[in-house]
Structures are given as structure tokens and as C-alpha cells.
Amino acid sequence: MAEIGSTDDAKNAVVLQPRPLPTSACCWHRRDVNCVKISSSGRFVASAADDYRVLISDLVTGRLLYELAHDEACINSLMWLHQQVPHLRLVTGSGNGSVTIWTLHPNGGCTQTILIRLKEEIDHLEYDVATDKLLLAFGSFLMVTPSQTPLDTIKAEHNPLDCSEQIGGAAFLASGTKCLVTLPDRHAIVVLRINGTTLSVEKTISLSYTPHYASVSSDSMSIGVGGTDGMIRVYDWRKGEDAQEQVVVSYGRDFITPRSVTFSFIHGSHYLIAGGETEVATVFDLTDGRAIATLYHQKGCYIHAVTVGSLRYTTLFF
């Protein structure tokens, strides 16, 4: 197991400044950004914020293409859905418990479809393109549902699983056939098997720390878990039940809130970009434990979200 994030690593890392935005750029939120995602083509970026809006911009020109307004609800999370040519689609999870599908039309308009209305705030939302399913975490509950069928109420076959405590993080595993949640109070990662829309516990992995945010690499080979101790632990998932800590990324301090730490894998399990509570994000090489790049945001602006383009390896942080 390697521990990275030392002072020597930081000194040797390449320092990068944000590239200037095009003069036509108009992609500003009025309040904190909660989530940012790049489309599978690498051309578009969508950001969701506490100002009740989703902004979608062209990464090449910087031009704002769509402004999606939600009715009096902060938007906590979003995911790009499988494209239905010529339309782009994305899904959002909001503070008022609604999960909304947005279909973007080439002429600049959009169609809004409410998929689910829940009584609790949507804390986490994930999408698996292989199965076209959504993973939703709200409070202590977890559920899986198809992205195609609107549900006015949760039917019996879509009953959510009660994890008996607030869920810290959630993610799909194994091409959508499994998922995981982190349970902070129980100090555990729980792996669940997905059968249709039914969730069943497969195994529980006990931890020595308090976990929160979780992310899975695009090749499903690595799991990243952020803890309240300022560490991001990366596990080699190929070992299954014998999964061991592969790398520990150290920030050397406690995080104030569960959402303070944010990270994303790059190029499968090869790299990790991490940030939170500072103006700086760091890119780590997970194969040898080196910090290879330091990215600086605007002065006075803390990083709330990071994302990586799947084709262009473009990195954004807000």
C-alpha cells in the first residue's frame, strides 16, 4: 500500500493555471456549484447549483447553450444519459425530492419530464449506461429504477432499501449488476446485488475510518472512498472480498462536511483528481503514488466539484 500526497510530491508536481475562457463564455452560477459533468462526446459540460439552475455550455466556444431552471429547489446532482440522436439528455436530482429527465433539442428548447417525486432530498444520483438505470440515495434509503418509465409514486417493486442510517456515498459496480454505499455511522462499505429493481446485500466491508463520498473508476477496477480524516483510499476491486487498500491520498486535515472532498478517476484506474475546501485540485498517478499536477482555481473560490471528460480527458473544477 502506498501513501501519497506528501510535501515532496507537491513540490515536484506540475503547476497548472486555468486556461482563459473564450470572450463569449457566459457560464456563471449565482450560488455554489454542487455537481459538474462532461458529456460522453467531450463537447458539452453541464453544471448544477444551489441557484436552482443547470447550465450547459460548449467546451470549445464557451457559449452557453441551455439554461434549465428548476422550480424553487437546489439541484444536488446530475448525470448525462445515453444520447438519443439528435437529442442530448440528462437527469437531475433535487432538494425537493424530484428526479427530472431533461431532453435537449437542437433548436435550443428542452422537454422536462418528472421521473420520480420523493419526500426526501436526493443526496446522490448515479447512472449506468449499460443497464440504463439510475441509482438514487435519499436519507437512509437506496433505490434503483429504469431511466425510461416515469413513476408518479414508487410502486411496490420499486420499494427502496432502508440502510438504517444516512448514506454517505453511492455508486454502480460491475456494469450495473451491483452497487455500493458507504455508511458513516457503521464505518462500512456495503456491496449490493441488483436484480431488476430489487437490491440485496451481498457483503459488508468493515472500515477503520468514517467514510463518505465514493467513486468507481470507469473500468470498475478501483473504488475510491473519501473519509472524514482527510484521506481518500483507493481499493483494488479485482480482489473482490479480499479487496485491500491500494493507495491512500492524504490531505493531512479533517474535512468539515461530507461534501467537502470531491474526486474523480481519470483514464480508468490510472489517475485520480482530488480537491475540496481549497483553491487547489491535485492529480495523482495511482500506479506509483506521485502527485503529477497541481491545478489552481480562481483566488477566493473553493472547489466544490471536479469532473473529467471521457474522451478528451478535459478536467473541470468549480
Side-chain angles (χ1 to χ4, degrees):
M1 180 184 71
E3 182 168 332
I4 59 182
S6 67
T7 303
D8 290 339
D9 284 336
K11 289 180 179 178
N12 296 328
V14 176
V15 177
L16 302 177
Q17 299 289 343
R19 64 180 175 86
L21 287 172
T23 55
S24 58
C26 184
C27 46
W28 307 111
H29 283 284
R30 303 185 185 99
R31 299 184 67 183
D32 287 348
V33 172
N34 294 323
C35 186
V36 56
K37 298 290 182 181
I38 296 173
S39 65
S40 59
S41 67
R43 180 66 187 267
F44 308 105
V45 59
S47 55
D50 284 345
D51 60 4
Y52 311 147
R53 296 186 303 157
V54 174
L55 300 182
I56 300 168
S57 303
D58 188 314
L59 275 174
V60 176
T61 65
R63 188 166 64 92
L64 179 65
L65 303 177
Y66 301 89
E67 180 178 352
L68 313 179
H70 202 285
D71 295 334
E72 299 301 316
C74 298
I75 302 174
N76 296 332
S77 53
L78 67 84
M79 294 292 294
W80 288 97
L81 298 177
H82 179 68
Q83 185 175 354
Q84 293 180 343
V85 180
H87 305 294
L88 295 170
R89 298 188 306 141
L90 54 85
V91 58
T92 58
S94 304
N96 66 356
S98 63
V99 177
T100 305
I101 303 290
W102 306 83
T103 302
L104 311 178
H105 305 300
N107 62 3
C110 75
T111 302
Q112 178 183 359
T113 304
I114 303 296
L115 183 68
I116 299 174
R117 295 182 188 273
L118 301 171
K119 295 181 179 180
E120 297 189 51
E121 177 178 359
I122 304 297
D123 299 310
H124 304 281
L125 182 154
E126 296 290 332
Y127 173 68
D128 179 70
V129 66
T131 60
D132 198 27
K133 290 181 180 178
L134 300 173
L135 179 66
L136 308 174
F138 46 101
S140 65
F141 294 95
L142 186 74
M143 70 175 292
V144 173
T145 183
S147 71
Q148 299 293 333
T149 308
L151 302 172
D152 294 329
T153 58
I154 299 178
K155 301 177 182 178
E157 62 267 28
H158 293 87
N159 276 343
L161 177 71
D162 189 355
C163 296
S164 302
E165 66 170 86
Q166 180 73 34
I167 294 171
F172 276 110
L173 276 173
S175 301
T177 61
K178 299 180 183 180
C179 66
L180 67 83
V181 294
T182 58
L183 301 180
D185 291 345
R186 202 180 306 176
H187 294 78
I189 299 172
V190 178
V191 178
L192 305 106
R193 185 172 295 278
I194 301 172
N195 183 11
T197 58
T198 302
L199 294 167
S200 57
V201 176
E202 183 175 279
K203 62 183 173 183
T204 300
I205 303 172
S206 297
L207 306 172
S208 60
Y209 60 94
T210 303
H212 276 292
Y213 185 77
S215 180
V216 177
S217 62
S218 59
D219 56 13
S220 293
M221 292 170 58
S222 297
I223 299 171
V225 180
T228 56
D229 57 357
M231 305 283 191
I232 301 171
R233 293 166 174 85
V234 179
Y235 297 87
D236 187 345
W237 178 246
R238 291 171 297 179
K239 297 180 181 179
E241 294 189 13
D242 298 324
Q244 300 292 322
E245 289 180 4
Q246 177 183 359
V247 174
V248 179
V249 178
S250 173
Y251 275 76
R253 56 184 169 78
D254 291 345
F255 290 108
I256 297 174
T257 64
R259 291 191 180 186
S260 295
V261 60
T262 179
F263 56 89
S264 180
F265 287 96
I266 309 173
H267 195 26
S269 303
H270 200 109
Y271 303 102
L272 184 82
I273 178 172
E277 284 189 356
T278 69
E279 302 167 2
V280 178
T282 306
V283 179
F284 298 95
D285 187 332
L286 299 180
T287 62
D288 58 14
R290 290 184 302 116
I292 60 173
T294 301
L295 296 81
Y296 284 90
H297 203 350
Q298 296 176 353
K299 187 174 180 58
C301 297
Y302 283 179
I303 294 170
H304 294 269
V306 297
T307 190
V308 180
S310 59
L311 295 181
R312 299 162 59 107
Y313 305 124
T314 302
T315 299
L316 292 181
F317 44 97
F318 287 78

